[in-house]
Amino acid sequence: MLHSTVWRRHMPSWVRNIWREVVAFGLVGAVAFVVETASFNFLIFGSPDHGGPLGSTPVLASAIATLLAMVVSWLGNRYWTYRDRKGAVDRREVAWFIAVNLAGLAVTAFPVYVAHEVFGLSSPLSDNAARLVGWAAATLVRFAAYRTLVFTAHREDSLDMPATTGRWRAISRATRPDDLLWPCFLAVVAAICGWAVSVAFHPGFLSPDSLSQLAQAQGKQPVTDWHPPILALFWRTLIDITGALSAMAALQAAVLWGTLWVLAVVLWRRTGSRPLSLLMLGFGLAPHVLTFTGVVWKDVHMAYTLLAACAIALVARELPEGRERARWGLLVLGMLFLTYAMLVRKNGLPAVVPIFLLLMFALWPRPGRRRWLVAAGSLLALAAVGSLGVSWAAHPLAVRQYAQIPLDDVVHVLTPQQVRSAATKAGATPEFTGDLVATARTCQRRDIVWDAYFACYPHKPGDRAGFGADQADVLLKMWTQQMPHHATGYVEYRSRTFARLLFQGNLQYLGGDSAVMPKDVRVNKTLDAAMKSYVMGFDRDFPWLFQGWFWLVVSLVLALRRRWAGPWSRELRLLGVSGVIYIATYLPTAPSANYRYVYWPAIAGTFGILLAVSGAIVARRTAHATQDTDSTAAVEALVNRPFTADPTAPHPGGSGPRLDVTTG
C-alpha cells in the first residue's frame, strides 16, 4: 500500500485522473454505437410487419443514424466525461467536434480501403477485421482529440499555478515532453492527409521524363544518365518489393507528410501553439505544394529530401547538451538525405550547401575545425560512393545531356550562316553541321527561344537520345570559340530566357489529362478534376504563387534580413540562400519555364514564412514572460521589504526617502 501511495504521488495528475475519462468515454461510445445501430436498423427494416420509413434510401438512413450517434456522443462527453471542463457552448467546440468525428470516419474507412485496394481482400471476415482495426484507431483519435481540442474550457486535473506566472508558463507546462496526446493526434492527421493525397494521385502521375524512368525501372529501356539513374534504381527496388508502380508516388507522399509531422511537433514543443502546428501540416495542402505531391519527378524528390534535412536540423536544435551520439546520428541521417538530393538532381549541389550549413549549425552552434572537416569530408565521400555505386549497379549509358546547353546558346545567339561557319571551324562532320544549321533555322522561323534539342533538332528514326561523344565535343568547342565574341548576344539571350522562367512559368498542374500514363493504368478522373480545379483556381486568383519571381523575392528577403525574431534566425537566412542559389543556377541553363524548376524555392520559401511567424510568436511570448517575472519580483520585493518607522529612512532600491505604510 505504501509503495502504491508513493507511486501515485509521483505520477502526473492527468495520469491519475485519466482512468475516469477512459471509462466514461468508453461508456458514452458504447451508448452511441447502440443508438447508431438501432436507429439505422429501425429506419431500414422497421417492424416485421411494416418496412422502415427509409427502407428505400439506405444512405440517408445511415446519415441520420450517424448524426444521432454524434449528438449522443457530444451530450454524453460534454456533460459527463468532461463535465469538469464544461463552459459555455461556442462555435469552436462544435466545429472541432464535427471535424474530429469526420476524421474518425476517414480513419475507420482507411483499413477497409487498404484491405481491398492494396491486399486484394474482400471477404466478410477481412472486411469486419479491417473495420474493427479502423474503429479502434478512430476511438483513439477521438479520445485524444476530445481531451486536447474539443472539451478544453477548463481542466480540473491541471496543476494549480499562480496567476502571476502568466500564459507562457501555462504553455510551457502544456508542452511538457511526457504529453504525447497532441503529437499522436498530429500523426493521425498527417497519416490521413498523406493517404488522401496518395489516393487522389494514384498510381502517381507521370511526365514524359517520369515515363522514361519507369520504363528504365521495369527494364524495358536501358538506364541512361539523361535522368538520374538513382531514381530508376530506387523505383525498380520498390516495384520488386511491392509489385506496384504506385509505390514510388506513395513513398514520396509519405516522406513529405512524415517531414511535416516532425516539423509540426517541433513547432508545438517550442511555441505551445496547436493552431500553428496544424498550420504546418496545412503546408502540404497548399496548392503550390500539393500540385506535384504525387508526380514522380526528380524535382519533387530533391525538394522533399531537402525539406527532410531541414526537419532533422530543427530536431537537432532541441537536443539537450551532451547528446553527442544522437547528434552524430542525426548528422549521418541528414547527410544521407542531402546525398540523395545531389544524386537525383544534377544542379541541386549549390542548393544543398546552405542546407548542410544549416544542419551543422543546428547540431553544434560552434562546430569547430575538426567537426567541419569530418562532416564535409563525409558528405563528399557519401556523394562519391553513391555516384560510383549507382554507376556500378545500373551501368547507365552516357547521353551527354549537358550538350543541350551549348546547343541552345549557339543556335539562338548565332545566325544560321554563323552556325555553319562555327561548326566547320570546330571540326563538325558535314551531316552534323547540316543538322545544326537546320536547328537554328527552325528555331528562328518558329520563334522558339529554348529547348532546341527537342523542339528544333532534326531527329532521325532509330537515333538514340542524346549526343555522341564527338558531337558533344564539337558543341562545347563551338561555345568556347564563339560566345566570347558574341557576349552581348549571349547575355541578352540568357536574360530573356531567365525572365521567362521567372515571369511566365507554366505547367502549374500536371494532371491526369496531361500526364503520360501507361496504357493499362487509369487515374481517378473525379479526384483529378477536383484537384485540378483547386490548384488552377488558386493559379487564376493568385498567379504569383506559381511564378519564380515571387519565390525569388521571398528567398532574397529571408537571406538578406540581418536578424529575425525568435530562435531560427540563422536557419531562415540559410533557407533563403538555398532558394536564391537554386534559382540562380537556371540563369545560364534554363531549358523552359516550367513551375517545377522553382518547386524547391517555393517549398523553402513557404517553410521559411511559417518558421518566421513561429519565431515571432516565440519572441513575443518570451518577452511577455520576462515582463511577468519582473513584475512579480517587484511586487514580492514591495510586500516583503522590512518595516521601519522612520519616514526618512532610505528605500532599499534607492537613496531617497520613502513613504512608510502604517497600520493605524
Side-chain angles (χ1 to χ4, degrees):
M1 178 66 72
L2 177 61
H3 290 290
S4 176
T5 304
V6 173
W7 177 68
R8 286 176 60 84
R9 185 181 304 159
H10 289 280
M11 287 174 56
S13 61
W14 68 273
V15 175
R16 294 197 302 268
N17 295 335
I18 199 172
W19 68 269
R20 183 190 64 80
E21 293 184 28
V22 172
V23 173
F25 177 83
L27 291 176
V28 171
V31 173
F33 176 78
V34 171
V35 169
E36 180 176 11
T37 305
S39 58
F40 176 75
N41 282 275
F42 171 75
L43 293 173
I44 291 294
F45 303 109
S47 63
D49 299 329
H50 303 284
L54 298 179
S56 60
T57 54
V59 176
L60 178 59
S62 177
I64 293 176
T66 301
L67 289 176
L68 290 175
M70 288 176 61
V71 171
V72 171
S73 176
W74 184 76
L75 292 174
N77 284 297
R78 189 174 196 279
Y79 293 100
W80 184 41
T81 308
Y82 301 103
R83 59 185 180 275
D84 53 349
R85 309 178 195 182
K86 184 176 60 178
V89 178
D90 57 7
R91 288 177 294 179
R92 182 202 63 80
E93 179 181 300
V94 176
W96 272 118
F97 181 82
I98 295 174
V100 167
N101 278 275
L102 291 177
L105 292 176
V107 172
T108 304
F110 178 66
V112 179
Y113 172 84
V114 172
H116 277 263
E117 301 298 331
V118 178
F119 298 105
L121 303 175
S122 58
S123 66
L125 178 60
S126 64
D127 284 349
N128 282 280
R131 185 165 179 80
L132 181 62
V133 172
W135 175 82
T139 300
L140 292 177
V141 171
R142 291 190 180 98
F143 179 71
Y146 286 174
R147 286 195 94 245
T148 57
L149 288 176
V150 183
F151 305 108
T152 58
H154 171 66
R155 294 189 59 161
E156 190 176 67
D157 60 341
S158 61
L159 298 179
D160 294 332
M161 295 177 295
T164 55
T165 57
R167 185 182 180 189
W168 177 247
R169 186 176 300 177
I171 293 170
S172 300
R173 191 183 303 276
T175 58
R176 58 195 176 191
D178 60 338
D179 189 356
L180 299 178
L181 292 177
W182 184 250
C184 290
F185 176 74
L186 291 176
V188 171
V189 174
I192 292 173
C193 292
W195 165 75
V197 170
S198 298
V199 170
F201 278 101
H202 184 79
F205 293 169
L206 305 179
S207 69
D209 294 351
S210 310
L211 187 63
S212 175
Q213 295 235 268
L214 176 60
Q216 295 175 21
Q218 294 175 329
K220 298 178 180 179
Q221 293 181 7
V223 178
T224 70
D225 62 358
W226 189 285
H227 304 298
I230 189 173
L231 198 156
L233 289 179
F234 193 15
W235 206 346
R236 179 184 300 173
T237 303
L238 290 176
I239 292 175
D240 291 340
I241 294 174
T242 64
L245 65 89
S246 61
M248 179 62 82
L251 178 63
Q252 68 186 36
V255 170
L256 172 64
W257 287 99
T259 299
L260 293 179
W261 174 75
V262 172
L263 293 172
V265 173
V266 169
L267 290 189
W268 175 67
R269 297 286 190 201
R270 177 62 75 140
T271 66
S273 173
R274 287 170 177 155
L276 193 60
S277 62
L278 288 173
L279 184 62
M280 179 58 73
L281 290 184
F283 179 125
L285 298 178
H288 61 286
V289 176
L290 176 69
T291 178
F292 292 151
T293 301
V295 181
V296 183
W297 250 342
K298 52 190 174 185
D299 308 83
V300 179
H301 278 236
M302 187 200 73
Y304 292 172
T305 50
L306 290 181
L307 185 65
C310 293
I312 294 171
L314 262 63
V315 170
R317 279 186 57 99
E318 306 301 320
L319 286 177
E321 295 183 4
R323 301 287 297 276
E324 281 300 305
R325 290 186 178 180
R327 294 180 192 278
W328 283 104
L330 289 176
L331 176 64
V332 172
L333 181 60
M335 289 195 301
L336 289 175
F337 280 110
L338 295 179
T339 300
Y340 183 79
M342 288 188 288
L343 295 178
V344 82
R345 199 71 173 91
K346 296 182 177 67
N347 62 330
L349 175 61
V352 166
V353 174
I355 305 303
F356 172 68
L357 299 178
L358 186 154
L359 180 63
M360 286 294 294
F361 284 123
L363 289 164
W364 299 284
R366 296 181 180 178
R369 182 180 302 176
R370 184 165 61 179
R371 287 195 182 110
W372 275 119
L373 291 176
V374 171
S378 300
L379 181 62
L380 293 176
L382 279 173
V385 171
S387 179
L388 292 175
V390 169
S391 297
W392 173 81
H395 302 289
L397 299 176
V399 296
R400 296 169 179 82
Q401 182 192 12
Y402 59 84
Q404 287 186 88
I405 299 173
L407 174 67
D408 266 347
D409 293 336
V410 166
V411 302
H412 288 100
V413 173
L414 306 180
T415 64
Q417 293 76 13
Q418 291 172 331
V419 169
R420 183 183 299 277
S421 175
T424 303
K425 183 179 178 181
T429 62
E431 182 182 7
F432 189 49
T433 300
D435 290 342
L436 294 178
V437 173
T439 301
R441 288 174 175 169
T442 301
C443 284
Q444 292 182 14
R445 183 179 70 254
R446 297 169 57 186
D447 194 25
I448 297 173
V449 298
W450 46 26
D451 212 10
Y453 178 78
F454 288 105
C456 308
Y457 191 79
H459 297 279
K460 300 176 179 62
D463 285 353
R464 69 179 181 89
F467 297 97
D470 295 339
Q471 295 173 331
D473 291 341
V474 165
L475 286 170
L476 288 177
K477 189 178 293 185
M478 292 175 64
W479 194 95
T480 56
Q481 291 176 349
Q482 299 299 322
M483 289 306 106
H485 301 289
H486 299 83
T488 302
Y490 172 75
V491 171
E492 179 184 355
Y493 167 66
R494 279 302 170 187
S495 299
R496 181 157 51 108
T497 56
F498 190 64
R500 287 201 175 193
L501 173 67
L502 294 182
F503 295 96
Q504 298 181 14
N506 57 16
L507 200 64
Q508 294 86 346
Y509 179 74
L510 180 69
D513 55 348
S514 54
V516 184
M517 306 299 293
K519 294 181 179 179
D520 56 340
V521 174
R522 296 291 182 269
V523 300
N524 190 312
K525 294 183 178 180
T526 302
L527 294 178
D528 178 35
M531 282 196 303
K532 184 174 183 179
S533 177
Y534 169 64
V535 173
M536 299 310 294
F538 272 87
D539 177 59
R540 181 184 64 251
D541 299 331
F542 307 98
W544 39 268
L545 279 175
F546 303 88
Q547 294 181 358
W549 68 265
F550 176 75
W551 297 114
L552 178 60
V553 170
V554 171
S555 298
L556 285 171
V557 171
L558 292 175
L560 297 179
R561 180 166 177 172
R562 294 186 59 186
R563 184 69 184 172
W564 289 91
W568 299 297
S569 180
R570 179 179 290 166
E571 284 81 357
L572 287 168
R573 293 199 300 273
L574 290 173
L575 273 173
V577 171
S578 180
V580 171
I581 292 178
Y582 187 72
I583 293 178
T585 60
Y586 285 104
L587 177 58
T589 63
S592 61
N594 290 348
Y595 167 63
R596 69 185 176 104
Y597 294 132
V598 293
Y599 191 54
W600 162 240
I603 286 182
T606 307
F607 176 52
I609 292 172
L610 292 176
L611 210 59
V613 173
S614 304
I617 292 175
V618 171
R620 186 183 64 181
R621 290 178 173 174
T622 303
H624 288 174
T626 303
Q627 293 176 0
D628 291 340
T629 302
D630 293 341
S631 300
T632 303
V635 171
E636 290 178 352
L638 180 64
V639 172
N640 298 327
R641 67 186 179 183
F643 175 81
T644 176
D646 184 5
T648 62
H651 189 275
S655 59
R658 64 177 176 84
L659 179 63
D660 193 22
V661 180
T662 62
T663 58

